[in-house]
Amino acid sequence: MRPEDLPEIRHLHLFRDMSQANFETLMSSSYAQNFPPGLDMVRQGDPSDFLHIVLEGAVELYAKWADRECTMAVVRPVSTFILAACIRDAPYLMSARTLERTRIVLVPASDLRAMFRRDTEFSVAIINELAAGYRSVVRSAKSLKLRTSRERVASFLLTQSMLAGGTSSYTLPVEKRLLASYLGMTPENLSRTLRLLEADGVKVDGARVIITDRAKLTALAKPDKLIDASETAIDQTGSSLPRALE
Amino acid sequence: MRPEDLPEIRHLHLFRDMSQANFETLMSSSYAQNFPPGLDMVRQGDPSDFLHIVLEGAVELYAKWADRECTMAVVRPVSTFILAACIRDAPYLMSARTLERTRIVLVPASDLRAMFRRDTEFSVAIINELAAGYRSVVRSAKSLKLRTSRERVASFLLTQSMLAGGTSSYTLPVEKRLLASYLGMTPENLSRTLRLLEADGVKVDGARVIITDRAKLTALAKPDKLIDASETAIDQTGSSLPRALE
DNA sequence: GTTTTTACTTGATTAATATCAACCCAAAGG
DNA sequence: CCTTTGGGTTGATATTAATCAAGTAAAAAC
């Protein structure tokens, strides 16, 4: 692991409050690894040996069943994934593949499990992280069950605009192919939906999104703080990275 | 609270391992309450003041958006709900209403939050509970995104048969109206689907389910341990209550 | 015991979404 | 440079699911 990796990791809510000694112990058994784009790092069903920390690049979490697959999330730096599986020492529920060249730190799950019994601050951080993740998935399930695909697209575009600082113009954080799968629809259907949404106050040209009539789009998307808000606590610095598709 | 309530609660994984003194402290500030059927106990968006423990009856967790609503879960004794909201001191993401006459114990969320910082065993239990809940919702989201409604119905019927001990005949644990909403479909569509599934090895007459051709039904449902299995650890006594629609 | 309510079902229709096929275009690779 | 690849779009069609509208049966209320 590179020395400059450590402060990045230490800055995460998950590791911020634990003792320095314990943090160093945990990191001493961890190691960084670089992956090329398009590589499968984790296969669903495999035993959860490592907590993954994304330092650079981007990782797609996806699920398979029968001969179908769908994108569940895209993880960007700096954040962790598959914490719950590691905690429970249970098989991964999702697979993970790199979208770009990606730098990952692997923390042995066994060390993680041993550590949270010894460091109260760490266990509190884990509790908060899991509760936040839990609630995030509940939000996502609510969106899937209560909204039509058109409404999901509209609220996604609106939410992204907020994450980008409320600007009415921004670029999509991921390929449309991925976005479609994340939103639970086919690429064709997303393409058509985006076209139709031009009548509802938003225009998407390539990866460029321009909100032309925020009121109209809001009326359609009906943003709801119990669905669309983020669970991640805002950074004191105010620099909460807009974690795309979390 | 009745004295016979305490051992029931103490038996839950969440409270099993904490110190007796701490358990008593937590319970001393809690109180039981009885609710008639059809009563809204929790409204989504409200501040999370209490962890709820269901001792008798049944509670529906549901979500609303725009003018639509859907069932997210049905909680039966003895178990808790809305732990994550209490932990994060955040608004409830779901509403809760009683389905029958229901006996509930309310544990003040502030006491809960104070306690897990002082009792390591309790914090470990919370971590496990949250991780399990997290993974449960991920499973549910996978099912929604990867399966058609027909496949969801088929796997639900098969999973319930397993929970009932592998028997080929059992009764539905909830009204079809609720089941439909839980599975993300309309009652009409569920009714039709059940009728059509008679050709695939299962017959549903009223609340009675009879699996007539398990192989055929399995071929359709394609049960997957990364979607359909339960996250709750099996009780040592082997008496893990089949928590319906968890 | 009768009325009322509510879950459930069935049929007809409409709306939403997926699938199939063709094509465009830009980026990557040779 | 040309070729190949893969994302994206568009159109036609098929499938799936929701909606609308009756109607039944059983339970709850009076």
Side-chain angles (χ1 to χ4, degrees), chain B residues 48-188:
Chain B
S48 54
D49 296 328
F50 298 99
L51 175 72
H52 290 57
I53 309 175
V54 186
L55 289 180
E56 299 168 19
V59 175
E60 176 195 5
L61 301 183
Y62 66 101
K64 275 184 287 196
W65 179 80
D67 59 344
R68 295 163 222 169
E69 78 173 54
C70 72
T71 303
M72 301 294 285
V74 172
V75 183
R76 293 189 181 276
V78 179
S79 45
T80 66
F81 62 92
I82 41 179
L83 175 62
C86 293
I87 292 297
R88 289 194 67 83
D89 198 8
Y92 297 125
L93 294 180
M94 299 182 275
S95 299
R97 70 165 73 96
T98 53
L99 293 174
E100 318 163 359
R101 188 188 161 284
T102 298
R103 183 170 174 77
I104 297 275
V105 167
L106 299 164
V107 185
S110 53
D111 295 343
L112 199 78
R113 285 192 294 272
M115 188 57 78
F116 75 71
R117 296 186 151 270
R118 289 196 277 122
D119 189 312
T120 303
E121 291 308 313
F122 188 42
S123 75
V124 169
I126 289 180
I127 286 173
N128 272 295
E129 191 88 355
L130 288 173
Y134 190 166
R135 286 168 59 90
S136 273
V137 191
V138 169
R139 289 168 187 277
S140 172
K142 285 175 64 171
S143 188
L144 280 172
K145 293 184 78 170
L146 290 167
R147 286 172 169 158
T148 66
S149 62
R150 178 149 153 274
E151 289 160 345
R152 291 200 295 278
V153 173
S155 32
F156 175 84
L157 293 176
L158 206 51
T159 299
Q160 284 301 118
S161 150
M162 293 308 170
L163 288 176
T167 61
S168 52
S169 176
Y170 62 93
T171 61
L172 288 176
V174 291
E175 290 176 347
K176 287 179 186 166
R177 177 183 60 91
L178 277 180
L179 179 57
S181 180
Y182 173 71
L183 293 173
M185 55 202 297
T186 59
E188 295 97 321

Side-chain angles (χ1 to χ4, degrees), chain A residues 16-162:
Chain A
R16 177 178 296 183
D17 296 327
M18 68 192 305
S19 84
Q20 180 63 22
N22 286 338
F23 178 68
E24 283 168 8
T25 302
L26 212 52
M27 288 303 116
S28 71
S29 60
S30 308
Y31 56 97
Q33 212 167 329
N34 291 310
F35 297 95
L39 191 115
D40 263 280
M41 301 163 42
V42 168
R43 282 231 315 265
Q44 67 175 42
D46 283 354
S48 54
D49 296 328
F50 299 99
L51 175 71
H52 290 58
I53 308 175
V54 185
L55 289 180
E56 298 168 20
V59 175
E60 177 195 5
L61 301 183
Y62 66 100
K64 276 183 285 195
W65 179 79
D67 58 346
R68 294 164 222 168
E69 78 174 52
C70 73
T71 303
M72 302 294 285
V74 172
V75 184
R76 292 189 181 276
V78 179
S79 45
T80 66
F81 62 93
I82 42 179
L83 176 61
C86 293
I87 292 296
R88 289 194 66 83
D89 199 6
Y92 297 126
L93 294 181
M94 299 182 275
S95 299
R97 69 163 75 95
T98 53
L99 293 174
E100 317 163 359
R101 188 188 161 284
T102 297
R103 183 170 174 78
I104 297 275
V105 167
L106 300 164
V107 184
S110 52
D111 295 343
L112 199 78
R113 286 191 293 271
M115 187 58 77
F116 74 71
R117 296 186 152 273
R118 289 196 278 123
D119 189 313
T120 304
E121 291 309 314
F122 188 43
S123 75
V124 169
I126 289 181
I127 286 173
N128 272 295
E129 190 89 356
L130 288 173
Y134 189 166
R135 285 169 58 89
S136 273
V137 191
V138 169
R139 289 169 187 276
S140 171
K142 284 176 64 172
S143 187
L144 281 172
K145 292 184 78 170
L146 289 168
R147 286 173 169 158
T148 66
S149 62
R150 178 149 152 274
E151 290 160 344
R152 290 199 296 278
V153 173
S155 31
F156 175 83
L157 293 176
L158 206 52
T159 299
Q160 285 301 117
S161 150
M162 294 307 172

Side-chain angles (χ1 to χ4, degrees), chain A residues 175-177 188 191-192 195:
Chain A
E175 290 176 348
K176 287 180 187 166
R177 178 182 60 90
E188 296 96 322
S191 189
R192 271 185 266 271
R195 176 54 69 100

